[in-house]
Amino acid sequence: MIYTVTLNPAVDKTVEIPDFAAGKVNRVVSVREDAGGKGINVSKCLRALGAESVAAVVLGGDGGDRLEVLLQQENMQILRAEISAGETRTNLKIVNPETGENTDVNEPGPEVKPGELRQFLVRMCQRIRPGDLVVLSGSLPKGAPGDTYKVWTERLRELGAKVFLDADGTCLAEGIQGKPDFIKPNASELARLMGRQFETEGQIIAAGRELLASGIENVVISLGSEGALFLWKEGFYRAKSLDVPVHSTVGAGDSVVAAMVYGMEKGLSMEEKIALAMAMGAASVMQTGTQAPDAKTVWNLAKQVEFEKIKKV
C-alpha cells in the first residue's frame, strides 16, 4: 500500500485574476477549491494514474472538516489525526492567466502538540507492512519538533517501508538523517541543504553524489524549465522539460514524486520512471488549481520526453 503523509494540509483556494497587481483593485474571474498539501497532491496524482493510496492528514476544526469533504469528493482513502485546538488553514493561490504567474498567500496553520504527532505515528505504524511506500512531504505544523521527519523515516524504515521525503530547509536537513529512500529537492533547496551555491550542472551532480553516498538511494533534482537530473547508484540521467501551456505550477513537484512512487510500486524501469515523472510534471502545470492531470494526457506526453544518460561526471 502507498501512504502519503501531510502534517500541515490546507484548503487551497485558487483564483484567476487577469493583470493581477498589488495595491489596486483586482477582479476575480474564476474560483476553485481543492484539498491541498504536498502529500495530498501526491495522492490525487496517484489516483489519476489508477493507483490507490491512503492520505494520512492532520485536520482541525471546521477547516479540517471542509478539507475532509473535499477528499471524500475525490473518493480518497483517509487516515485522519485530530488535534485538540486550531483550524486547518486555507491557502490562497492567485493565478494571472495573462502571464502565467502564480502568487501564493499561505496561512501558518494550527499548532500541533508533539504528543498528538507521536500518537499519529503509532497509528501509522500499526498499519505499515514490509514493502509499503510512504511519502512524507511538505512543511511541519507549528509545535512539531524539527526532527519529526527524521523520527518518522527511521521508524517507518524499521518496519520495512520505503520512504519518500519531499521537504525543504530544516525539514529536509533533519529528515535526510533518517536515510529516506528518495528525495526530490530543486536546485535552490539543494543549495540550502548543502550550504553552498552551484554555478554548473557538474557541481549539482557532485552534490547529488554526496547524498547518494550518505545512503539515500534515489535523488531527483528539479531544474525548473531546464528539466531535471535523476541520480541513482546505477546511473545518472538528464531529462528535458516538455514545452506545454502553463496554467499553474502549484503541485508540479508533487506530481513528479507521485510518478516516482507509482513507478516503484509497478516495478517500472529507470527509463520508464523518468519519462513518467517528466510527463506528470508537464501535465500538472497544464491544470488549474491543484487538480491532478488526466492520465491519458500524461501517458501521451511520456512518449515525447527526451532524456540521456550522463556518461561523464
Side-chain angles (χ1 to χ4, degrees):
M1 176 57 76
I2 300 172
Y3 294 87
T4 65
V5 178
T6 310
L7 300 180
N8 196 21
V11 174
D12 280 344
K13 185 174 183 178
T14 302
V15 298
E16 285 195 338
I17 304 177
D19 298 320
F20 169 74
K24 74 170 191 176
V25 175
N26 292 276
R27 302 195 182 280
V28 175
V29 296
S30 70
V31 181
R32 64 172 292 125
E33 279 190 340
D34 298 285
K38 294 179 70 64
I40 290 172
N41 293 340
V42 172
S43 278
K44 288 189 288 188
C45 290
L46 286 168
R47 184 164 184 77
L49 290 173
E52 293 298 319
S53 66
V54 175
V57 290
V58 174
L59 301 177
D62 293 339
D65 292 340
R66 174 59 181 154
L67 194 148
E68 185 170 20
V69 168
L70 291 170
L71 289 172
Q72 291 170 342
Q73 289 174 350
E74 299 201 36
N75 298 314
M76 200 84 72
Q77 296 184 59
I78 308 166
L79 178 63
R80 174 171 180 163
E82 294 285 353
I83 56 176
S84 57
E87 289 274 337
T88 294
R89 59 189 177 144
T90 296
N91 289 340
L92 179 64
K93 315 292 184 183
I94 303 171
V95 179
N96 183 340
E98 305 294 333
T99 64
E101 291 180 330
N102 293 265
T103 301
D104 292 353
V105 183
N106 292 347
E107 296 180 5
E111 183 170 351
V112 180
K113 297 178 180 179
E116 292 170 333
L117 288 179
R118 287 194 296 269
Q119 183 57 38
F120 195 26
L121 177 57
V122 169
R123 290 177 59 202
M124 277 284 299
C125 290
Q126 290 171 343
R127 302 174 63 123
I128 294 297
R129 299 293 180 268
D132 284 346
L133 308 177
V134 182
V135 179
L136 305 176
S137 57
S139 61
L140 295 175
K142 289 187 295 184
D147 66 349
T148 294
Y149 281 148
K150 173 180 180 292
V151 172
W152 281 56
T153 297
E154 289 176 338
R155 184 69 185 115
L156 292 166
R157 294 196 73 212
E158 287 173 0
L159 295 173
K162 295 283 189 180
V163 178
F164 292 65
L165 176 63
D166 184 17
D168 188 15
T170 301
C171 295
L172 177 59
E174 289 284 346
I176 63 172
Q177 302 305 311
K179 300 295 185 289
D181 299 274
F182 171 98
I183 61 173
K184 189 208 66 62
N186 59 36
S188 297
E189 292 167 345
L190 182 64
R192 286 191 288 272
L193 175 64
M194 307 304 289
R196 61 182 187 268
Q197 296 300 312
F198 306 117
E199 302 296 333
T200 66
E201 179 186 271
Q203 292 173 343
I204 295 175
I205 293 173
R209 293 183 68 174
E210 290 180 39
L211 293 170
L212 292 176
S214 75
I216 299 170
E217 295 183 0
N218 306 272
V219 178
V220 175
I221 305 168
S222 172
L223 304 177
S225 61
E226 296 181 13
L229 297 171
F230 294 79
L231 311 181
W232 286 269
K233 292 182 179 178
E234 295 84 358
F236 302 165
Y237 290 79
R238 178 192 299 110
K240 294 181 180 179
S241 291
L242 292 169
D243 185 13
V244 297
V246 177
H247 291 289
S248 174
T249 58
V250 178
D254 305 324
S255 68
V256 171
V257 174
M260 299 302 292
V261 174
Y262 178 90
M264 182 173 288
E265 185 193 48
K266 301 300 182 183
L268 301 186
S269 69
M270 195 177 302
E271 291 79 6
E272 289 171 327
K273 290 177 186 175
I274 293 170
L276 180 59
M278 298 304 294
M280 280 291 289
S284 176
V285 302
M286 295 168 65
Q287 309 303 309
T288 58
T290 54
Q291 58 186 317
D294 173 71
K296 183 177 180 180
T297 299
V298 172
W299 291 116
N300 285 336
L301 288 173
K303 301 173 185 176
Q304 305 173 32
V305 174
E306 297 181 11
F307 60 89
E308 61 182 346
K309 191 168 185 177
I310 301 173
K311 298 180 180 180
K312 293 183 180 182
V313 295

